[in-house]
Amino acid sequence: MNNLLKGSLALTIGLIGLTGGLTTAHAATKSPYLDINHSFIRYVQLKKNLYIGAQKKSGKTFKRVQSKKGTIVGILGMGYNKKDKNGNWIVNAGFTNVSNHYGRIKNLTYKRNVSIPLKKANFKIVKLGAEPTLYQAGKGFKGILNSTTFTSQAAFYLTMDHYVQYYNASAMKQFAPDGAVATVSGLDVWKPTHSAKAYKVTTTGRTTKIYTHRAIKGLPNKRLAKGKYRLTIKDLNRQTDQDFFPFEDAYYAYATWSSYQVNGKPYFSGTADEDYD
């Protein structure tokens, strides 16, 4: 099963003002900074209250705020360009939201030009897996007639704090116009059409089961008892590759997707590369 918390995420390595290769640094054994030579750091948790570039919406503006101890954030990029007085490479990072439910992150953003030293005293590495898979309704991408874009399919995903967030076709047309999104990151702050908290999530083999206390409109919920519903996601272990929008001796787009069933209904997750030839 493509676990809901597995997959791939392309991280931007190197921040504004940061240079150097991450694999060529030789940090001292007792460096006060997190070791980026032997760990591909994707998420960190704060050990104390700290300003790390967070800004919270206040009216029509954003105000600088401290992030609280225990907060988990994603690494947007990291690197180094100088050493401290003891000869240790100063490892810096920029941050972003983890893919949590909309209500938790809708008013929070991170400045892109802030780089914060990744000191062991302030941060610890945590492993959350990859960004959540976006499951779109249907058997695969569909091209719009006389166009070079895809239809907007209703979709849902499970956030890292275990909320099922559902988006109807109109919402998906707004947030992901071409539908070519396989995973949802902390940068994607999309207001869901409907959502519900999962009180239990299990994964066995290629099957993931999500349990909620209420049905989510738009999804094929299975009622187990009063106030108990389940979404069973089965990875069919089937990959499809297809060219779209032929022109001359080539194609305008290429798409690839994996097939799933959600309570017996067809869903898929994949990406498309436009201007393909």
Side-chain angles (χ1 to χ4, degrees):
M1 168 66 191
N2 177 18
N3 190 298
L4 291 172
L5 300 185
K6 291 183 179 179
S8 62
L9 174 66
L11 293 177
T12 303
I13 302 299
L15 301 172
I16 296 175
L18 301 180
T19 60
L22 297 179
T23 59
T24 59
H26 298 286
T29 302
K30 296 183 180 180
S31 171
Y33 306 97
L34 293 179
D35 179 10
I36 61 174
N37 296 306
H38 305 100
S39 302
F40 184 60
I41 304 172
R42 299 196 43 215
Y43 306 101
V44 291
Q45 185 175 36
L46 272 66
K47 291 184 176 181
K48 61 179 69 173
N49 294 349
L50 191 69
Y51 174 68
I52 56 172
Q55 299 180 95
K56 193 169 185 179
K57 191 172 183 179
S58 177
K60 295 183 179 180
T61 63
F62 282 85
K63 293 185 177 180
R64 167 175 165 161
V65 294
Q66 276 201 335
S67 296
K68 294 182 179 180
K69 177 182 178 180
T71 299
I72 296 176
V73 290
I75 298 291
L76 181 66
M78 60 186 178
Y80 57 87
N81 62 5
K82 62 181 180 180
K83 295 181 179 180
D84 64 16
K85 63 182 180 180
N86 296 316
N88 300 298
W89 284 104
I90 301 174
V91 181
N92 291 279
F95 304 96
T96 186
N97 287 312
V98 172
S99 184
N100 287 327
H101 68 96
Y102 174 77
R104 186 172 180 178
I105 63 177
K106 66 178 180 179
N107 293 322
L108 190 65
T109 186
Y110 291 82
K111 294 188 70 173
R112 295 291 173 258
N113 60 347
V114 171
S115 60
I116 306 296
L118 277 176
K119 291 185 176 181
K120 295 176 182 177
N122 297 334
F123 301 95
K124 70 175 181 179
I125 300 171
V126 292
K127 295 182 178 180
L128 298 180
E131 300 292 352
T133 299
L134 180 69
Y135 298 97
Q136 300 188 59
K139 296 181 179 181
F141 288 105
K142 293 181 179 180
I144 298 175
L145 186 64
N146 298 322
S147 175
T148 54
T149 59
F150 298 101
T151 59
S152 298
Q153 312 278 53
F156 77 96
Y157 70 97
L158 179 69
T159 67
M160 287 189 173
D161 56 349
H162 284 184
Y163 277 78
V164 179
Q165 297 199 153
Y166 167 80
Y167 303 85
N168 61 22
S170 295
M172 286 301 296
K173 187 175 182 179
Q174 175 186 352
F175 298 127
D178 59 5
V181 180
T183 58
V184 184
S185 76
L187 295 173
D188 301 314
V189 185
W190 303 347
K191 183 178 180 179
T193 307
H194 302 289
S195 68
K197 172 70 173 178
Y199 66 86
K200 181 181 177 181
V201 179
T202 65
T203 297
T204 304
R206 295 182 179 278
T207 301
T208 292
K209 295 180 179 180
I210 303 172
Y211 298 83
T212 60
H213 285 303
R214 62 184 181 83
I216 304 169
K217 186 177 180 180
L219 292 179
N221 309 271
K222 180 177 176 60
R223 187 176 185 273
L224 304 177
K226 184 178 181 180
K228 292 186 178 181
Y229 297 84
R230 184 179 67 207
L231 294 171
T232 300
I233 303 172
K234 292 184 178 181
D235 183 349
L236 301 182
N237 194 25
R238 186 171 69 237
Q239 189 77 23
T240 302
D241 304 287
Q242 186 174 331
D243 296 323
F244 285 87
F245 318 123
F247 70 97
E248 297 178 350
D249 295 325
Y251 289 87
Y252 182 79
Y254 165 81
T256 180
W257 64 88
S258 299
S259 297
Y260 299 85
Q261 282 187 348
V262 179
N263 288 350
K265 301 294 183 181
Y267 279 76
F268 71 97
S269 179
T271 60
D273 179 18
E274 295 185 355
D275 294 327
Y276 174 80
D277 56 28

